Amino acid sequence: MPYQTLTPMERLLSPQVLEMPPSGIRKFFDYTSGMKDVISLGVGEPDFVTPQIVRDACVAALDKGRTTYTSNAGMPELREAISGYLSDSCGVIYDPDSEVLVTVGSSEAIDLALRALITEGDEIVIPEPCYISYSPIVFLGGGKPVGVETFAKHQFKLKAAALREKLTPRSKVLVLCYPNNPTGGVMTYEDWLPIARLAEERNLVVISDEIYSELSYGDKHVSFASLPGMKERTLVVNGFSKAFAMTGWRVGYACGPSELIAAMLKIHQYTVMCAPIMGQVAALASLQVGMEEKDRMIESYNQRRRVFVQGLRQIGLPCHEPQGAFYAFPSIAHTGLTSEQFAHRLLQEAKVVTVPGHVFGSGGEGFIRCSYASSQVQLEEALERIRKFLSLI
């Protein structure tokens, strides 16, 4: 941004913040302000409310006056429950006292980890397309984000050969997100093995964002930390927003080496102190009594996934089979429009909100992200509107 065009206040702002673009997801969400009859497939938010049994547990705690701070690291009983949950679901055991940190959403956990790890100029390697927040957080921390492109022909899996090409002596952290946002791609145990060998060979710290771990529709989710020798160099990030329908409660967590957790905790203490106790109580209830409701919601997503992806293909949008998360990532390249043009025209002419693929980094151009975490009725109506739109372009 040219200096002469800045306002007096803008000239006082951090150059990194001035250069950072606003969220490409929120931009399209904000476009809908004032519009009527809009179907949103844009924001990755479950259409379910938090299960009643979980809300009741929180109300009961509030009635008892549980409105205080908690331990900076999170309620001990919640950390204990998280440790047990990961042991059962992933086969990885964490000490709840020194290897588990409760955060304000999984996004805070990623921010804390990168701030704790980055020294100016470090290269942070990120498979793309990916969640839009990783690179801006790296940039703000003084690091250099390095994208590794993945491809639809490989089901958007990370390939060791592509990763190796991007590694340099400055490579320090590998950020992973599987099941993947925005593509729905997943990695199997066999897929992970060569990546694990590279991480060990190059002494990389791995941040494994597994927020969609429960939303795996084929093979059981494989946590990167469960691979031989990887727990010692991996920080697992997860939370309750997606699978447990708790987006607004803002509770996530990080599990990993005690030294890294301790460093993150110091930053956490000075920034937010602790996650809200109400959210922590609800998170604990989700793990204790909400698992059956969680499974019911996941089965519903799976049904929508099959119908929606088939529908996209039938109306002329090629789409790989997403095996995780709740996103479809169809190709719109054959239309001759950029992903930005396609998404903008689809909103204006058909009143369907999607997210242009280019905002997710390398390999995203030529695709749009569609969340199928909407009702079946809305998904069917969205498909019909997209079909009509395609017939007119």
Side-chain angles (χ1 to χ4, degrees):
M1 188 179 295
Y3 183 82
Q4 59 271 22
T5 67
L6 300 178
T7 68
M9 178 53 69
E10 285 175 331
R11 294 172 185 175
L12 299 175
L13 297 177
S14 160
Q16 288 96 329
V17 174
L18 280 175
E19 292 176 28
M20 189 179 356
S23 166
I25 296 176
R26 282 290 168 181
K27 180 174 73 171
F28 271 78
F29 185 75
D30 292 342
Y31 282 161
T32 65
S33 178
M35 295 182 68
K36 296 181 179 179
D37 192 30
V38 172
I39 296 176
S40 179
L41 308 180
V43 179
E45 181 164 34
D47 68 321
F48 295 105
V49 297
T50 305
Q52 186 68 52
I53 194 169
V54 174
R55 286 180 280 147
D56 287 345
C58 183
V59 170
L62 287 171
D63 285 342
K64 293 177 182 177
R66 295 193 69 181
T67 59
T68 62
Y69 293 130
T70 72
S71 163
N72 293 137
M75 290 165 40
E77 58 268 43
L78 176 56
R79 283 181 277 139
E80 186 80 39
I82 290 168
S83 177
Y85 165 70
L86 290 180
S87 177
D88 292 341
S89 62
C90 300
V92 186
I93 299 173
Y94 292 99
D95 180 351
D97 293 325
S98 62
E99 296 181 325
V100 180
L101 172 63
V102 179
T103 58
V104 181
S106 60
S107 295
E108 192 214 356
I110 294 164
D111 181 43
L112 292 175
L114 287 168
R115 283 203 275 171
L117 288 165
I118 291 173
T119 300
E120 188 78 27
D122 284 340
E123 292 179 356
I124 312 302
V125 184
I126 308 169
E128 296 177 335
C130 70
Y131 178 51
I132 63 172
S133 291
Y134 301 145
S135 289
I137 293 173
V138 171
F139 183 63
L140 286 174
K144 177 184 177 182
V146 177
V148 182
E149 190 171 349
T150 63
F151 300 92
K153 64 182 179 181
H154 299 144
Q155 294 79 51
F156 294 103
K157 295 175 184 284
L158 174 62
K159 297 296 183 178
L163 174 59
R164 185 181 291 276
E165 286 182 2
K166 295 291 186 175
L167 296 178
T168 75
R170 296 305 305 267
S171 302
K172 186 174 189 179
V173 179
L174 172 62
V175 179
L176 302 171
C177 178
Y178 288 93
N180 181 262
N181 173 11
T183 69
V186 301
M187 296 282 282
T188 66
Y189 186 87
E190 290 71 25
D191 294 329
W192 278 136
L193 284 175
I195 307 301
R197 286 194 289 268
L198 261 181
E200 187 171 32
E201 175 189 321
R202 297 301 186 94
N203 195 30
L204 299 175
V205 178
V206 178
I207 299 174
S208 184
D209 183 352
E210 301 182 16
I211 188 67
Y212 295 100
S213 60
E214 287 281 1
L215 297 165
S216 297
Y217 307 112
D219 295 332
K220 181 178 171 63
H221 170 71
V222 178
S223 174
F224 191 80
S226 70
L227 275 76
M230 290 301 105
K231 184 193 173 198
E232 294 75 14
R233 65 175 64 251
T234 301
L235 181 82
V236 172
V237 173
N238 209 323
F240 296 86
S241 292
K242 308 300 183 179
F244 294 90
M246 289 180 56
T247 52
W249 299 84
R250 307 312 302 133
V251 183
Y253 56 88
C255 301
S258 59
E259 300 89 343
L260 177 53
I261 292 293
M264 294 168 60
L265 178 59
K266 286 195 285 187
I267 306 170
H268 177 74
Q269 288 171 330
Y270 287 120
T271 51
V272 301
M273 187 171 292
C274 65
I277 188 171
M278 291 73 75
Q280 293 192 55
V281 167
L284 179 60
S286 289
L287 293 178
Q288 291 177 333
V289 297
M291 300 298 279
E292 186 175 327
E293 286 293 301
K294 178 264 298 177
D295 291 341
R296 181 184 63 81
M297 291 186 283
I298 292 170
E299 179 53 35
S300 178
Y301 295 138
N302 193 15
Q303 293 172 2
R304 301 178 203 184
R305 174 185 70 96
R306 292 192 293 261
V307 172
F308 188 66
V309 171
Q310 181 182 14
L312 288 171
R313 292 169 175 170
Q314 288 175 343
I315 65 175
L317 291 183
C319 186
H320 92 105
E321 186 79 19
Q323 293 296 313
F326 42 49
Y327 307 108
F329 204 57
S331 171
I332 51 87
H334 65 285
T335 67
L337 300 174
T338 67
S339 59
E340 180 87 14
Q341 290 168 338
F342 187 97
H344 192 267
R345 285 188 57 182
L346 183 64
L347 172 59
Q348 296 300 319
E349 298 172 32
K351 294 187 177 180
V352 176
V353 181
T354 59
V355 183
H358 74 89
V359 307
F360 300 103
S362 304
E365 183 52 68
F367 297 85
I368 56 170
R369 191 191 78 171
C370 306
S371 169
Y372 51 83
S374 297
S375 72
Q376 191 67 48
V377 171
Q378 281 197 313
L379 292 175
E380 290 173 359
E381 174 63 21
L383 286 169
E384 178 60 19
R385 293 186 187 188
I386 297 170
R387 184 193 66 76
K388 291 180 179 178
F389 172 74
L390 288 170
S391 71
L392 298 175
I393 62 174

